[in-house]
């Protein structure tokens, strides 16, 4: 993409309303714009990041054997009255009345709808296990939306729901998601600590949150440093049941649950860190299937309420979480997997015909090779171009000016380290494929 | 995908509530399930089709130079009060009040929001033209939702918005979309007639609807048979300005606008057909930019209200429209571009070990070659398997049984024509890549 034609409104100043790094940087780098309290428009650059993350989440769901469906954002209130949550959910639920006076709501989660889908379409134990997911916009009417997309009202969530014939099978489904989540966060270059969690409005007994370590995170977590030995950032393809068991039993809790006097971990082994919640998994047994009568016939013909779990990843929230975990004073530093473009190409001689021709040719060559490249072809000063590309945070930069061109070379810069080296123009394409 | 594990609840009987072919077939083939009035859940098979269509729409938008963004589904009412449409829009707008009593709405379209985004972020004629699109769920509170996804309340729409400095540039943007729409429908194997249309609630003077020819379509259109000479189903890469001009000026109107006594087309050249509206484009000049003060500085420094257009394709509606245009008494007949899978593999000997081994091996080989294949590995009778595969409507079927296996051959069936031929097992993969 040519920057001169791109709809990428960047800001030089820090917006006053933005209190944390990710919010500031998402506005400044032109990833999003606010259009109402807790409502954001994703601009082209931000949408690219959102989709990259969404695709990684999707791939790991597919790999786990879960099947993708898509439920509507608007739900009938009837289902929630059946489960008993319509009154219980409180003011975070956006309640709506349609033209005929029917009570509806904007889904904050989908346990009821999927349980209804299941009971209407699955009758036998032979059809189990099933795990269905969708990636859809949700709405929670937060009393004070803040921190940009980190605590917006309309947000993109991947949520899925598992159905099993008994508790043992349900634990297997839970563990599969536990692993899928670890792999998802690892692919995004994040350290996510699995934290034993409360089940809150969802219900059930077994639950983990995944907390992304970030200096300005909203949660404070206490955990056994033993967890660091697992190298969560580069988890291997296969995670053995043994390791799952260890990861689930290591001490890791949020501040509210930490009791210094009764902590099983010795003081010298205890870590305290800030985190951003990016995922949450629940095994809640028959809480919904009993009350909503989601039963299948078992092998002996008896009717059995299915064991269920639900699993959520805040996809739009992850955009903010990644920035919280990876930025510096100049801007965002994208991990490659989530980067909107892999390479930024800077033309330092945009008013110089020869240099512009060389940059144009290089841009076309990179595009033809399938390299995702953002080309700063604007007639602007070098300082402005450097600042913009650092702010946007693409992992690699190629900087080409009239002087370098004489030696058929450009500058190659790694955004994360700031390291710069010279590179021959003919070697650039092969460097990135 | 193995059918034995797939979440694909098919129905043998026609559901009583479904009055048209697409609605009947989408329920029967397990593409969707209703979860409320005009609200549908997309099941795995239906979602695959929806995404294929969405991607073709996206590719043609990208190719036209439009840039993708994503606006939220929920909008502040303030913007609509500014444009004057908040009261004007009527009961189809789903109006919502949040926990603080603020008036909001579920977007039925986005002219106001995008005009606001534009005025806040674009200041100069140098940044024009711009064309921004998004693919997002919309809500229109239809008084009587019907025909399945063809007239649902929550539906997926691609809508974009063009911004130009003057009328001449705006017409160029309009024509680009006109061409992008023709190409989009052609790639989906559809004949779409561009029909001169009223501008209704959107406003403006120049507008075309794209009507997909379908026997049970809800619109009746009258058009000059000259339009058939353009072979709309296989439009070439480049459509010249001359052809655009001709296509836009050929007589084609909806019934309400047709006046038999004053029709410019001779009776023998007039065609009457049923159609489904699948797209609508508008050039509405400065209707929103004037009232919402979306102005840029011109080359002489004066402030100029931008010329705008908006363009919509009903992405979820297209799933129904394609089925309306392409089905028979046995089920759906997918055009390849929209098909959920390219090939259906039927194991006729699911209880025969040797045959199952051969089918499993073939399935793996096809998957490894990147062929999208749906494998009916169920322990069910041949009749049921044939009926299911015809109902689902994948373009090609490979039918393998113990008898054929002895000759190392299977049956190759083309769903559209019903034509069956023998095929050597070793030639199957190469046939589909």
């Amino acid at each position: 993409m040519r920057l001169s034609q791109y709809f990428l409104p960047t800001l030089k100043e820090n917006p006053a309303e933005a209190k944390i790094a990710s919010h500031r940087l998402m506005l400044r780098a032109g990833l999003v714009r606010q259009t109402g309290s807790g409502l954001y428009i994703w601009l082209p650059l931000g949408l690219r990041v959102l989709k990259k993350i969404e695709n990684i989440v999707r791939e790991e769901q597919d790999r786990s054997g879960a099947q993708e469906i898509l439920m509507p954002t608007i739900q009938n209130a009837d289902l929630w009255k059946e489960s008993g949550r319509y009154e219980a959910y409180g003011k975070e639920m956006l309640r709506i009345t349609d033209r005929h006076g029917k009570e509806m709501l904007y889904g904050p989660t989908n346990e009821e709808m999927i349980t209804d889908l299941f009971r209407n379409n699955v009758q036998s134990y032979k059809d189990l296990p099933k795990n269905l997911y969708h990636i859809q916009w949700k709405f929670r009417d937060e009393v004070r939306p803040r921190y940009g997309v980190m605590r917006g009202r309309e947000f993109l969530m991947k949520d899925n729901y598992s159905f099993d014939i008994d508790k043992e099978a349900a634990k297997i489904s839970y563990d599969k998601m536990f692993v899928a989540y670890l792999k998802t966060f690892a692919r995004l270059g994040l350290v996510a600590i699995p934290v034993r969690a409360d089940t809150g409005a969802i219900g059930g007994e077994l639950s983990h949150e995944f907390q992304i370590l970030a200096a300005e995170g909203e949660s404070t977590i206490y955990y056994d440093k033993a967890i660091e030995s697992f190298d969560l950032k580069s988890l291997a393809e296969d995670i053995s049941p043994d390791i799952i068991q260890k990861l689930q039993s290591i001490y890791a809790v949020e501040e509210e649950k930490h009791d210094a006097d009764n902590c099983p971990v010795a003081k010298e082994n205890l870590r305290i860190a800030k985190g951003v919640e990016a995922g949450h998994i629940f095994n809640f047994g028959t809480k919904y299937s009993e009350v909503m009568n989601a039963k299948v016939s078992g092998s002996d013909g008896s009717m059995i309420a299915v064991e269920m779990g639900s699993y959520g990843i805040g996809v739009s929230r992850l955009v903010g979480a990644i920035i919280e975990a990876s930025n510096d004073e100049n801007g965002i530093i994208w991990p490659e997997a989530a980067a909107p473009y892999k390479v930024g190409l800077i033309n330092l001689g945009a008013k110089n015909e020869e240099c512009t021709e060389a940059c144009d040719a290089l841009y076309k060559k990179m595009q033809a090779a399938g390299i995702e490249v953002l080309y700063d072809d604007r007639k602007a000063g070098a300082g402005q171009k450097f600042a913009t590309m650092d702010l946007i945070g693409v992992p690699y930069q190629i900087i080409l000016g009239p002087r370098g061109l004489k030696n058929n070379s450009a500058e190659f810069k790694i955004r994360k380290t700031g390291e710069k080296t010279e590179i021959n123009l003919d070697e650039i394409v092969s460097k990135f494929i």
Side-chain angles (χ1 to χ4, degrees), chain A:
Chain A
M1 175 56 69
R2 284 172 179 269
L3 216 46
S4 64
Q5 288 160 28
Y6 209 25
F7 182 54
L8 179 68
T10 56
L11 303 174
K12 275 185 196 137
E13 306 297 330
N14 280 327
E17 75 268 29
K19 304 294 179 211
I20 60 172
S22 61
H23 191 191
R24 276 194 299 275
L25 290 169
M26 287 184 74
L27 291 171
R28 286 195 51 207
L31 300 182
V32 294
R33 284 294 179 267
Q34 190 173 343
T35 176
S37 174
L39 300 173
Y40 288 86
I41 299 173
W42 294 79
L43 304 188
L45 196 72
L47 184 58
R48 284 181 74 95
V49 176
L50 186 66
K51 284 190 177 177
K52 295 235 162 155
I53 296 172
E54 181 184 330
N55 279 335
I56 288 173
V57 170
R58 174 175 290 119
E59 282 170 15
E60 292 304 327
Q61 287 299 311
D62 290 342
R63 198 188 305 197
S64 80
Q67 296 180 38
E68 187 172 7
I69 64 171
L70 188 58
M71 292 177 268
T73 60
I74 299 296
Q75 308 188 13
N76 275 343
D78 300 351
L79 290 171
W80 289 71
K81 288 178 180 167
E82 221 184 307
S83 76
R85 285 208 295 179
Y86 191 59
E87 297 311 324
Y89 212 92
K91 289 192 166 181
E92 275 192 20
M93 178 185 280
L94 188 67
R95 292 155 209 265
I96 303 170
T97 307
D98 78 2
R99 67 189 293 168
H100 300 301
K102 192 162 173 59
E103 285 174 277
M104 304 196 300
L105 57 100
Y106 199 121
T109 178
N110 286 61
E111 280 80 8
E112 284 79 359
M113 189 182 280
I114 197 109
T115 304
D116 182 54
L117 177 72
F118 182 88
R119 70 181 170 186
N120 292 334
N121 293 283
V122 182
Q123 277 81 42
S124 164
Y125 76 98
K126 289 179 191 165
D127 295 322
L128 301 184
K130 278 280 174 291
N131 191 328
L132 303 173
Y133 76 97
H134 79 154
I135 302 177
Q136 178 62 291
W137 294 89
K138 310 290 190 295
F139 201 99
R140 290 186 191 161
D141 201 0
E142 299 268 356
V143 63
R144 278 195 306 127
R146 57 193 185 279
Y147 306 147
V149 302
M150 297 277 279
R151 197 174 281 271
R153 294 198 292 174
E154 189 169 332
F155 60 98
L156 188 60
M157 186 161 94
K158 183 286 301 167
D159 41 323
N160 48 349
Y161 304 90
S162 62
F163 303 89
D164 285 284
I165 194 67
D166 57 29
K167 286 192 189 307
E168 199 183 338
K171 180 59 166 59
I172 292 171
S173 293
Y174 185 87
D175 288 350
K176 268 192 190 171
M177 278 302 114
F178 187 86
V179 168
Y181 275 38
L182 289 174
K183 284 184 182 173
T184 300
F185 298 127
R187 281 184 63 186
L188 290 168
L190 297 167
V191 176
I193 306 278
V195 172
R196 195 62 187 247
D198 285 332
T199 53
I202 304 287
E205 284 166 19
L206 179 59
S207 177
H208 283 89
E209 276 175 18
F210 291 81
Q211 292 276 353
I212 309 289
L213 298 185
E216 288 187 274
E218 58 190 346
S219 321
T220 303
I221 51 175
Y222 290 73
Y223 60 92
D224 187 336
K225 74 171 188 183
I227 213 162
E228 290 163 0
S229 66
F230 288 96
D231 193 10
L232 295 171
K233 230 172 165 172
S234 52
L235 276 173
E237 195 55 28
D238 288 314
I239 302 178
S240 70
D242 182 46
I243 290 182
I244 295 170
Q245 188 46 41
K246 276 186 190 153
L247 278 170
Q248 289 182 0
S249 55
I250 284 180
Y251 185 79
V253 294
E254 280 203 69
E255 191 161 28
E256 309 85 82
K257 290 184 100 177
H258 178 67
D259 175 359
D261 298 331
N262 294 297
C263 180
V265 182
K267 221 170 182 179
E268 63 273 23
N269 293 330
L270 196 66
R271 291 271 188 274
I272 306 172
K274 292 284 186 182
V276 174
E277 185 194 337
H280 204 153
I281 62 178
F282 301 89
N283 172 333
F284 45 72
T286 57
K287 171 174 167 159
Y288 298 89
S289 56
E290 280 288 359
V291 65
M292 292 182 70
N293 202 32
K295 296 182 178 175
V296 295
S297 59
S299 55
D300 61 356
S302 63
M303 296 306 288
I304 300 164
V306 289
E307 297 279 332
M308 291 175 58
S310 73
Y311 315 88
I313 290 181
V315 178
S316 49
R317 170 171 256 239
L318 268 175
V319 181
I322 290 172
I323 297 174
E324 286 299 330
S326 182
N327 70 80
D328 65 14
E329 67 280 10
N330 297 320
I332 303 166
I333 303 170
W334 291 113
E336 263 196 65
Y341 292 89
K342 187 171 183 178
V343 188
L345 171 62
I346 295 177
N347 178 4
L348 280 189
K351 291 171 185 170
N352 172 314
E353 202 171 316
E354 203 182 350
C355 187
T356 298
E357 266 174 33
C359 282
D360 285 358
L362 183 57
Y363 173 60
K364 276 181 199 153
K365 245 170 80 179
M366 292 172 85
Q367 279 199 310
I371 300 163
E372 295 181 308
V373 52
L374 182 63
Y375 174 23
D376 193 345
D377 62 335
R378 296 174 302 168
K379 287 186 173 41
Q384 192 187 337
K385 291 190 173 190
F386 293 149
T388 299
M389 208 54 93
D390 277 359
L391 174 64
I392 291 172
V394 297
Y396 308 105
Q397 299 175 15
I398 295 289
I399 302 156
L400 180 53
R403 253 185 298 175
L405 185 58
K406 281 179 191 152
N407 308 320
N408 200 44
S409 79
E411 213 168 40
F412 168 70
K413 177 178 165 182
I414 299 175
R415 171 67 181 89
K416 190 174 184 172
T417 59
E419 190 193 345
K420 290 179 188 176
T421 48
E422 229 177 275
I423 184 168
N424 189 292
L425 292 191
D426 303 322
E427 288 165 10
I428 290 175
V429 166
S430 61
K431 184 145 196 114
F432 296 115
I433 51 175

